[in-house]
Amino acid sequence: MSATDCRIIVFAKAPIPGKVKTRLIPFLGASGTGILYEQLILHSLSMAIDAHIGQVDLWCTPSIEHPFFSGCAQRLQINLFNQTGGDLGSRMAHAFHETLKRTTRALLIGTDCPSLRVDDLREAADVLRQGIDAVIGPAEDGGYILIGLRRSIPDLFTGIPWGTGSVLEQTRGRLRELRWKWHELPERWDVDRPEDVERLKLEGYLTEALKK
C-alpha cells in the first residue's frame, strides 16, 4: 500500500447567493455569503491538494454543471461527481461506496472548516494506512468535520440527526457497535453560526467577504 493510495472526497454546494450559509446573511448579505462560501470551497480544495496524499474529488450538489465547479475542475485538475441520495447521510454513504471501489482509503471533508489543517489530512490518511478502521475529526459543535474509512458501510450514516450536537456521539456509538477501531484528530471549529464570522476575523481568516 503506497502513501498516496488515498482519495479525498470534498462535499460542496453550488455557491449560489442566498442558498448557502443562510444564517450568516444578516451579517454579510447574500452576496457576501456567496463569496465567503466560494473562498471556503477553494481553501478546502487547495488544502486537500497540498496534502499530497492522493486524488482529490469534488462531490457537488445540486449538479456538477454549475460554472464554479467547472472552473475548479479546470484550474485545479480535480474530478467532479454529483452527490446522490436523500439526506446528508445517504449522500455520504454513496460517495464512500463509489470511492472505495477505486482506492483502499478515503477521507471525506466538507467546506466549512478553515481550521482543518494539511497535517490533519496526512495524519488521517496515515492512520488508515496503518490498518485502523476509521478516523474522525471532531467539531466543537458536536459534529465532525472529517471522516475517513477503509470500508464502506451505510450503518455509519443511517438515522443520524444531521445538524445537531449529537452527531459525533451517535457516530461513536455506531463504531462501538461495529467493534471497529477508530482514531480521533484534534477538535476543530467550523463556520456555521453568526459568532463564527467574528472568529474568522480574530483567528486571521480575513476574506474579501469579511472586509465589506
Side-chain angles (χ1 to χ4, degrees):
M1 188 184 299
S2 74
T4 58
D5 65 342
C6 183
R7 292 177 87 106
I8 302 178
I9 302 164
V10 182
F11 260 33
K13 298 177 182 178
I16 301 170
K19 299 291 186 181
V20 293
K21 293 296 164 197
T22 54
R23 282 183 282 182
L24 303 183
I25 290 176
F27 295 83
L28 300 176
S31 176
T33 55
I35 293 169
L36 174 62
Y37 191 64
E38 286 185 0
Q39 293 174 341
L40 289 170
I41 294 172
L42 292 172
H43 172 82
S44 296
L45 291 173
S46 296
M47 178 184 57
I49 292 167
D50 289 346
H52 298 295
I53 58 175
Q55 177 64 47
V56 177
D57 299 330
L58 181 59
W59 286 70
C60 311
T61 187
S63 169
I64 63 173
E65 301 300 326
H66 191 279
F68 179 80
F69 293 145
S70 301
C72 288
Q74 292 173 2
R75 293 195 306 272
L76 302 176
Q77 299 299 300
I78 59 173
N79 300 316
L80 300 182
F81 297 90
N82 282 316
Q83 294 182 32
T84 301
D87 69 357
L88 176 60
S90 64
R91 288 182 275 124
M92 292 170 67
H94 173 75
F96 270 115
H97 177 73
E98 293 301 315
T99 300
L100 287 170
K101 293 178 181 178
R102 306 178 180 96
T103 187
T104 59
R105 299 171 289 156
L107 307 178
L108 188 152
I109 64 173
T111 55
D112 297 336
C113 188
S115 61
L116 186 67
R117 302 172 183 175
V118 165
D119 286 345
D120 293 330
L121 297 176
R122 291 174 178 166
E123 179 180 345
D126 190 55
V127 164
L128 294 177
R129 183 176 60 82
Q130 294 174 31
I132 299 298
D133 298 302
V135 59
I136 296 177
E140 289 183 0
D141 62 6
Y144 57 78
I145 47 86
L146 175 151
I147 184 166
L149 302 175
R150 293 166 54 86
R151 288 177 279 170
S152 172
I153 182 161
D155 287 353
L156 279 175
F157 307 104
T158 303
I160 300 292
W162 304 106
T164 72
S166 65
V167 169
L168 178 59
E169 194 50 49
Q170 291 206 27
T171 302
R172 287 170 175 154
R174 299 289 174 86
L175 291 167
R176 293 187 191 101
E177 291 170 4
L178 291 167
R179 297 185 179 180
W180 279 15
K181 294 180 180 179
W182 79 92
H183 173 80
E184 295 193 7
L185 302 172
E187 186 178 81
R188 303 296 183 201
W189 61 278
D190 52 15
V191 181
D192 276 324
R193 303 158 298 176
E195 52 265 39
D196 297 327
V197 174
E198 190 61 30
R199 191 168 185 178
L200 281 170
K201 298 177 183 178
L202 291 173
E203 300 202 11
Y205 297 102
L206 295 176
T207 70
E208 291 303 316
L210 297 176
K211 292 175 184 176
K212 295 183 177 181

